[in-house]
Amino acid sequence: MTSGPTVHAWLTGLRRRSDLRVERLPMADCADWVWDGAAWRHALGRYFSVVGVTARIGAARVIEQPMIDQPEVGVLGFLVRRSDSGREWLLQAKTEPGNVLGTQVGPSVQATLSNYQRVHGGRATPMIECFVGQPPVGARRWSDSLQSEQGDRFLGKYNRNALVELPGGHAGIEAGAWAWFPAHAVRDALLTDYAVNTDARSVMVCSPWEWLADEGATAFSRWRGRGGFGEALRGSLDAVSGITRAEEIGRQLQAARARHRIVVERRPIARLNGWRIEPFGVFPNDDQASFSVQAFAVRASDREVSCWSQPLLVGGRAATVSLLCTRWDGVLHALLRCAAEPGLRDAVQLGPSDIDDPLHERLPWLPAVLSDARCERRAAVRQSDEGGRFMQSVALYQVVEAESGLVPKREPDALWLTLAQIQDLSRRDGHLTNEARSVLSLLLSWA
């Protein structure tokens, strides 16, 4: 087993070994990809496409933009085990062209359907049989759910998020880009900038949270009797109900879906209002927009195929993604907003309290609260989201606690939920957005 404090050193060494090289290309030079003015597709018809979309949300909101069309369901899975020293996670150092620093911690298995079916003709995906096929004798599946990708840029894209426990003493794979780490080291990495990728964070939030606690402990139980935010988290996880009753959650989600009904139509990219085609990609006319689409040649010695070309959605300015918490009746609650996104199959899921970029609507009163000096930032981490499809899409994820007198107790487009309620939702298919899972992962650093 690798000792806890060396996650950063382990990543740093593998970043050097990956020898990642990313070079921007003219659209016409993106090998194996076909651009016809309507969409950008792979010549084999697999992997993904970039298509044009017009989305009408509710009565007044219209979005026109390129989106990633990737109907395949990928596999995001962590392997865990118990050892003499406690619970351990098998981390993968995953190199993606769009990641800040190149290599970040990913799930034990992170693979699209095209990749694990070896459409690329490269190496097989190690340990895919633990999630697709016949797992090792004695393995136990603790969680398995279907979860959305970023609904503002992916069109109907979902992944399986799973956690599988290997029998005691099972080695998994301890070579190259994989290594076992104890739970406390994983918790620490969750608050390290550009260390844990969005896919790993998603699987952790959708898994039983006690796997991030030390051996013999339940999630957050190490804070019992110690006061502060850690004990507030423990109390919130123990609180089965809060100011929002369980039956209200479904009713409010359904009401939000009725208010924000989404109609999505395909449109050729060349005919999208507000976008222009240039030799190096597809660009928004508004310089404040969230992304452009450009082509890149990639080399990485630690991937199944060492060189390839592909389009990537290139990030604009860095966004801030916030989870607002407060205490109602002495119990910590987190505010999850009803997020209407064109790429969500069910139109609305529960997202973070706030995302300050043009692709997302915001609760009118929330920016002033987040900037109020009486609020306390409990955790923050910088992350580059989805480095396999986005280039340098950087966001600051933060958890902010506010005094209850600063916030409304009821909000038609948001819900105050306890951690017990959030954990229950996290194990269900398609209730929490990708950004919600990423920001909730910060709380797991206290597990």
Side-chain angles (χ1 to χ4, degrees), residues 91-248:
L91 306 186
Q92 178 184 181
K94 185 73 170 178
T95 300
E96 300 281 14
N99 283 345
V100 173
L101 303 180
T103 306
Q104 297 181 9
V105 170
S108 314
V109 172
Q110 176 184 327
T112 66
L113 178 66
S114 289
N115 281 351
Y116 72 74
Q117 289 184 345
R118 301 176 69 183
V119 174
H120 49 54
R123 297 190 296 269
T125 301
M127 300 169 295
I128 187 64
E129 68 278 0
C130 295
F131 304 94
V132 178
Q134 186 62 45
V137 175
R140 178 179 179 182
R141 183 167 294 168
W142 284 94
S143 61
D144 194 341
S145 60
L146 198 63
Q147 303 293 343
S148 57
E149 290 267 18
Q150 289 89 344
D152 56 3
R153 284 166 284 183
F154 280 96
L155 191 60
K157 176 71 170 74
Y158 284 68
N159 292 309
R160 282 181 60 205
N161 283 232
L163 184 82
V164 171
E165 179 186 3
L166 294 177
H170 195 292
I173 179 172
E174 294 184 85
W178 288 267
W180 290 97
F181 284 89
H184 68 82
V186 179
R187 294 195 304 262
D188 291 345
L190 287 169
L191 292 183
T192 303
D193 290 348
Y194 308 120
V196 180
N197 75 17
T198 185
D199 294 323
R201 292 175 183 276
S202 177
V203 179
M204 290 177 191
V205 168
C206 297
S207 301
W209 294 351
E210 59 264 25
W211 271 99
L212 282 163
D214 297 328
E215 188 65 31
T218 57
F220 308 109
S221 63
R222 63 194 176 103
W223 300 100
R224 193 182 306 274
R226 296 172 60 182
F229 194 65
E231 186 162 27
L233 291 170
R234 181 204 60 78
S236 187
L237 188 60
D238 289 344
V240 177
S241 63
I243 65 167
T244 304
R245 296 190 302 274
E247 59 270 20
E248 290 181 73

